[in-house]
Amino acid sequence: MNPTIYFLLAVAVSAVITFGLRALPFFFFRGEKNDKNMPDWLLQLGIVLPSAIMAVLIVYCLRGAKSDFVGSGIPGFLSVAVVAFSYKWKHNTFVSILLGTTMYMILVKIL
Amino acid sequence: MIQPMKSNKHKNSFSYALTKSVPIMCSYFFVSMAYGMMMTANGFPWYDSLLVSMTVYTGAFQFVLTTLLSSGASLLTIAATAFLMNSRQILYSITFIHDFGKMGIAKPYMIHTLTDETYAVNCTLSLPYHQKKSVMLWIALMARCSWMIGAVLGGALGQIIPFSLEGIDFCMTALFVILFIDQWEKTSSHIPACLGLTVACVCLMLFGETGFMLPALIIVSAILVFYNQSKSEGTANSQ
């Protein structure tokens, strides 16, 4: 597939699905006073899914460790530890992202 | 209502919305700058970052989309990832069904711009509806603008910066670790989080680095649907 068409299609698919999810309750809602029209399993999934998906995504980000433990795994795990500890300590998103990313960029250079 | 009162009220709504959205604007600006830089590092120019930020506009997924795009993932993988990563948005919209429903032409815009952060701030607004309406619109507008400006600036900066941006992708990992900790502290049951970690690691071993994401996401959500069902049956039986 042409790269530009692939890019535009991928963005369109993402945009439609994201907007669709945000708009979904408005479809199920027909002037009633509650959200009882929503399928129950979908509501329940929306509550428990975020933490499970975040866990999958962290593994996704560190997937390089499987084939290249020294060059990708060690910098990744060390920087994740820095992010986690600094965030637990100060709860500052900006500082933790900056610290972790800087450390990772230095580690991949030297290892 | 008297006319002069109205303009005064709007001015108040704006400044009130501004004080409410400063924390969102700051964090959006820096996170989307990292996003813009990551896009450039993966070969996408600033206007691609702007296009995605304008049309998709969802923090965490935009980062994943970048790696999916640069690895040439299938449209099905992209669609499934978008669906599962953004499914939590449903819950946010439900909260504002009544508030957004009465906003006329602004309604689609309010639906499109509802994010984790604007949701959290909108929940804290205790104002009469006529004022809440314009405050929510201002907050949505300011948050979205700072997200787009950050993405463009980050993209442009990524093209100028003289040193290699290798490793900038880690800002995505850092963001997910932070969101994971937030979720962990917010929820009492850590079963979904531990399940996600386990299933993802097993799938990585089984399917390899390039193809494990889709099976992992599907297996995790399938198990969670069954887990929810057995849990609700369990409470129904005990009652």
Side-chain angles (χ1 to χ4, degrees), chain B residues 101-156:
Chain B
K102 287 180 278 181
M103 287 179 76
I105 48 166
K107 183 180 157 187
Y109 186 77
M110 295 307 296
I111 294 173
H112 168 64
T113 53
L114 191 60
T115 63
D116 307 73
E117 288 78 8
T118 56
Y119 167 80
V121 170
N122 281 347
C123 282
T124 66
L125 299 174
S126 49
L127 298 165
Y129 182 67
H130 60 92
Q131 202 175 358
K132 189 180 178 185
K133 212 164 65 169
S134 54
V135 170
M136 288 194 303
L137 186 59
W138 278 120
I139 290 174
L141 194 75
M142 287 188 252
R144 189 167 185 265
C145 285
S146 59
W147 181 263
M148 291 194 294
I149 294 169
V152 171
L153 276 182

Side-chain angles (χ1 to χ4, degrees), chain A residues 1 3-35 38 40-68 71 75-88 91-106 108-109, chain B residues 30-31 34 39 44 48 51-52 55-58 60-61 64-65 67-69 71-75 78-91 93-94 96-98 100-101 107-108 111-115 163-168 170-185 187 192-193 196-197 200-201 204-205 208-209 212-213 216-217 220-221 224-225 227-229 231:
Chain A
M1 204 191 295
T4 316
I5 294 177
Y6 169 71
F7 177 78
L8 291 177
L9 271 179
V11 173
V13 164
S14 309
V16 168
I17 289 180
T18 309
F19 184 80
L21 286 168
R22 284 172 170 148
L24 199 61
F26 292 85
F27 282 104
F28 284 105
F29 175 74
R30 293 197 180 86
E32 315 272 317
K33 54 188 180 296
N34 51 36
D35 50 81
M38 291 286 292
D40 203 40
W41 66 270
L42 202 60
L43 284 174
Q44 291 292 326
L45 198 60
I47 297 169
V48 290
L49 208 52
S51 33
I53 296 293
M54 279 310 142
V56 175
L57 290 171
I58 292 170
V59 176
Y60 176 72
C61 289
L62 299 170
R63 69 195 180 283
K66 194 192 169 201
S67 55
D68 181 9
F77 292 131
L78 283 179
S79 310
V80 163
V82 167
V83 172
F85 280 117
S86 64
Y87 190 70
K88 268 294 192 188
H91 269 91
N92 186 318
T93 308
F94 174 62
V95 168
S96 294
I97 291 182
L98 195 69
L99 266 180
T101 309
T102 314
M103 178 160 162
Y104 184 81
M105 287 172 83
I106 294 170
V108 285
K109 276 243 161 60
Chain B
F30 287 114
V31 174
M39 281 286 276
F44 298 103
D48 282 355
L51 179 72
V52 178
T55 55
V56 184
Y57 187 48
T58 163
F61 173 71
V64 177
L65 183 62
T67 49
L68 290 175
L69 283 171
S71 67
S74 70
L75 290 178
I78 293 175
T81 313
F83 181 80
L84 293 169
M85 276 189 75
N86 294 324
S87 59
R88 67 184 190 287
Q89 308 282 2
I90 297 172
L91 301 171
S93 295
I94 287 172
F96 290 100
I97 273 184
H98 296 279
F100 291 177
K107 183 180 157 187
I111 294 173
H112 168 64
T113 53
L114 191 60
T115 63
F163 54 86
S164 147
L165 281 175
E166 195 201 343
I168 189 83
F170 188 82
C171 62
M172 170 169 80
T173 319
L175 180 69
F176 293 157
V177 171
I178 287 166
L179 293 174
F180 182 77
I181 294 174
D182 280 341
Q183 287 291 338
W184 186 277
E185 289 171 350
T187 50
L197 276 179
C201 289
L204 177 60
M205 295 303 150
E209 283 170 28
F212 86 99
M213 182 73 155
L217 288 173
V220 166
S221 10
L224 283 176
V225 169
Y227 166 74
N228 280 332
Q229 254 163 11
K231 206 173 61 176

